[in-house]
């Protein structure tokens, strides 16, 4: 079985969010289990790698021109996974207005590569595993491209390549003007356009849902939430028509990368049986580093994107106002939407027990994971979430809302704290409960910390479900 895992970002090469972590760790875990997996992504200018060589080129018809894409090969660090990086001026950047066009072009190149029957660029592949809207067009393009007569016709696979699409976040669906379909050069009728105030448009993610063999998402609860219509009726309608469901497979955690017994960012290291003294020391240093008063009050942490639609920052802001008389501290680290930055800068100015650091600093993030007592993850929705798993591995109790992967990973009163309704009252009540437990029952609090540290989220465990899925796909 040969698998090509296609993505827009891979930790160690280029990272914007949680997708990058999964795109590194999952292929590495698959290859450790004997699956022959390669990864493919655009070769952005920002990517700096040594030991990379050009191993081939692909001729892609796009926007009535024939474009040459140069494909480079390198290895993912600390692994045997081959990474194919696609170089072309259209693929130099990630961020700009033409982003949907760029990824549609990249998808066309991958679709073409997947059809070759000879050993071209690591192929021929049996399964193309796509991720999020960026690569969701690939199943449709493979279908269309295999119908078209190419000059290279004799090298085209006769067997049908199977496709999987993993949704990491349904909030982003890759909207593009209908003119994109003309650039791709396939009949207009294969797309499912909809009207916007600016005219007809397509969504790359939902086009993926129409054509892919299997859709997965990154936790069982998020899979249920999606099919219940929590994130829009269109998805429910497509899946009814397809007569199948979305498979939810919980993400794993790279337990080598996140390891409190061996994390160079930490001043001291610890295991489940030596948590308390080490964490106390890290907490003290953290308070100093972020200019919070030295105190043994419970310290809450938040690390993440300041994303107004997902991360529950509005709840945190109003809970803070209601907690004015409580003895606690809060440190927030993150970048994102400007109005949220201004809001948290003001809250930190007005409250001596709150620190807001407006940057992305991985070392500091690691010290917050280790030095806080509680990690706040009150997301409105969370496909999987990495923060709560990292927190637990570092013996810090996550306080989460019962949604998506948060609901699947945190057990209330055992390995963390869980609240239900998306309201600041519910978050506030839970924070009060936690502050009082911390004060009045330190024994229970610390036994929960140990229990949280012992939960096994490693990919070694999670990866089996993907392998089962790949096998069932090839058997079907
Ligand atoms: C996205 C989701 C997050 C998930 C990550 C990796 O960033 O928002 O919940 O953990 O993708 O799958």
């Amino acid at each position: 079985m040969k698998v090509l895992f296609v993505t827009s970002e891979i930790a160690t090469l280029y990272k914007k969010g949680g997708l990058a972590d999964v795109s590194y760790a999952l292929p590495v875990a698959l290859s450790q289990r004997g699956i022959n997996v390669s990864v493919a992504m655009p070769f952005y200018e920002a990517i700096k790698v040594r030991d990379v060589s050009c191993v081939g080129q692909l001729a892609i018809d796009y926007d009535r021109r024939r474009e040459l894409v140069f494909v480079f090969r390198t290895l993912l660090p600390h692994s045997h996974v081959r990474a194919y990086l696609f170089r072309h001026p259209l693929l130099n950047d990630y961020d700009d207005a033409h982003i949907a066009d760029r990824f549609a072009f990249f998808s066309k190149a991958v679709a073409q590569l997947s059809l070759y029957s000879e050993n071209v660029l690591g192929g021929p592949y049996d399964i193309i595993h796509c991720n999020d809207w960026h690569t969701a067009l690939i199943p449709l393009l493979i279908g269309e491209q295999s119908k078209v007569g190419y000059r290279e016709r004799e090298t085209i696979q006769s067997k049908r390549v199977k496709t999987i699409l993993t949704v990491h976040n349904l909030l982003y669906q890759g909207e593009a003007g209908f003119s994109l379909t003309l650039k791709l050069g396939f009949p207009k009728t294969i797309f499912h356009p909809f009207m916007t105030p600016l005219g007809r448009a397509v969504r790359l993610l939902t086009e993926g849902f129409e054509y892919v063999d299997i859709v997965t998402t990154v936790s069982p609860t998020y899979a249920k939430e999606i099919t219940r219509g929590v994130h829009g009726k269109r998805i429910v309608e497509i899946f009814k028509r397809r007569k199948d469901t979305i498979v939810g497979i919980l993400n794993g955690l790279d337990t080598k990368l996140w390891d409190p017994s061996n994390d160079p960012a930490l001043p001291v290291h610890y295991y489940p049986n030596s948590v308390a003294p080490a964490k106390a020391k890290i907490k003290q240093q953290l308070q100093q580093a972020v200019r919070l008063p030295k105190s043994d009050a419970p310290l809450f942490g938040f690390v993440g994107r300041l994303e107004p639609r997902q991360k529950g920052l509005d709840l945190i802001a109003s809970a803070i106002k209601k907690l004015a008389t409580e003895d606690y501290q809060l440190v927030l680290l993150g970048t994102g939407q400007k109005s949220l930055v201004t809001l948290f800068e003001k809250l930190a100015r007005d409250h001596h027990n709150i620190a807001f650091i407006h940057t992305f600093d991985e070392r500091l993030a690691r010290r917050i994971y280790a030095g806080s007592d509680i990690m706040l993850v009150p997301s409105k929705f969370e496909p999987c979430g990495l923060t709560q798993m990292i927190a637990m591995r570092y013996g810090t109790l996550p306080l989460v809302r019962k949604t998506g992967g948060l609901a699947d990973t945190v057990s209330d009163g055992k390995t963390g704290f869980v609240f239900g309704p998306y309201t600041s009252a519910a978050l506030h009540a839970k924070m009060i409960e936690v502050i009082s437990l911390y004060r009045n029952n330190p024994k229970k609090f610390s036994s929960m910390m140990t229990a949280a540290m012992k939960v096994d989220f490693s990919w070694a465990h999670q990866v089996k479900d993907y392998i089962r899925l790949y096998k069932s796909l090839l058997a079907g």
Side-chain angles (χ1 to χ4, degrees), residues 72-332:
F72 288 72
R73 189 177 61 202
T74 183
L75 279 184
L76 289 187
H78 317 293
S79 82
H80 300 292
V81 177
R82 284 180 303 271
Y84 292 100
L85 305 175
F86 287 46
R87 176 141 267 171
H88 183 278
L90 259 174
L91 305 176
N92 279 349
D93 298 309
Y94 184 109
D95 286 298
D96 85 341
H98 304 295
I99 185 162
D101 290 30
R102 295 177 189 279
F103 281 104
F105 175 69
F106 171 62
S107 297
K108 192 165 183 187
V110 173
Q112 182 154 326
L113 159 65
S114 73
L115 292 172
Y116 290 126
S117 62
E118 286 164 9
N119 185 2
V120 176
L121 303 173
Y125 293 100
D126 304 295
I127 294 176
I128 308 293
H129 188 152
C130 312
N131 290 277
D132 272 353
W133 70 264
H134 312 84
T135 53
L137 221 45
I138 292 172
L140 173 156
L141 296 174
I142 291 179
E144 284 310 302
Q145 240 151 307
S146 57
K147 290 184 205 156
V148 182
Y150 272 97
R151 265 187 281 156
E152 305 86 338
R153 182 184 269 285
E154 65 278 11
T155 67
I156 298 263
Q157 288 204 37
S158 54
K159 73 171 186 267
R160 208 172 73 75
V161 182
K162 299 287 174 132
T163 52
I164 295 188
L165 171 58
T166 297
V167 185
H168 297 261
N169 198 339
L170 211 57
L171 186 59
Y172 310 102
Q173 302 194 356
E175 206 166 296
F178 198 66
S179 59
L180 173 65
T181 64
L182 301 176
K183 294 183 186 164
L184 290 166
F186 294 126
K188 284 191 266 184
T189 49
I190 60 172
F191 295 93
H192 303 76
F194 61 95
M195 280 312 284
T196 73
L198 298 174
R200 272 194 306 171
V202 283
R203 285 200 186 98
L204 305 194
L205 187 68
T206 43
E207 293 298 343
F209 291 164
E210 300 279 357
Y211 289 95
V212 74
D213 291 313
I214 293 185
V215 180
T216 76
T217 187
V218 288
S219 71
T221 297
Y222 192 60
K224 277 189 221 133
E225 289 171 352
I226 295 175
T227 31
R228 260 195 256 119
V230 177
H231 298 283
K233 291 201 181 67
R234 177 91 197 277
I235 315 294
V236 182
E237 183 268 313
I238 296 177
F239 280 88
K240 261 205 190 126
R241 197 157 23 85
R242 285 183 50 131
K243 296 198 177 56
D244 65 0
T245 53
I246 301 176
V247 182
I249 302 179
L250 193 69
N251 281 339
L253 178 70
D254 188 328
T255 43
K256 269 206 196 116
L257 222 60
W258 299 102
D259 182 1
S261 73
N262 180 28
D263 184 332
L266 302 184
V268 277
H269 296 126
Y270 55 98
Y271 294 90
N273 58 3
S274 60
V275 194
K279 274 182 76 85
K281 184 155 186 211
I282 301 168
K283 178 173 174 178
Q284 243 181 41
Q285 289 200 358
L286 175 63
Q287 286 167 329
Q288 229 173 13
V290 301
R291 303 224 172 90
L292 281 173
K294 191 176 165 211
S295 153
D296 65 355
L299 173 58
F300 291 78
F302 174 92
V303 173
R305 278 178 290 134
L306 304 181
E307 154 60 68
R309 288 172 294 177
Q310 182 179 354
K311 295 293 177 184
L313 289 147
D314 50 337
L315 298 195
I316 298 183
S318 29
I320 287 174
K321 289 179 189 148
K322 290 190 207 152
L323 286 166
T325 56
E326 294 293 329
D327 185 21
Y328 78 101
Q329 294 184 329
L330 168 63
V331 52
L332 302 114

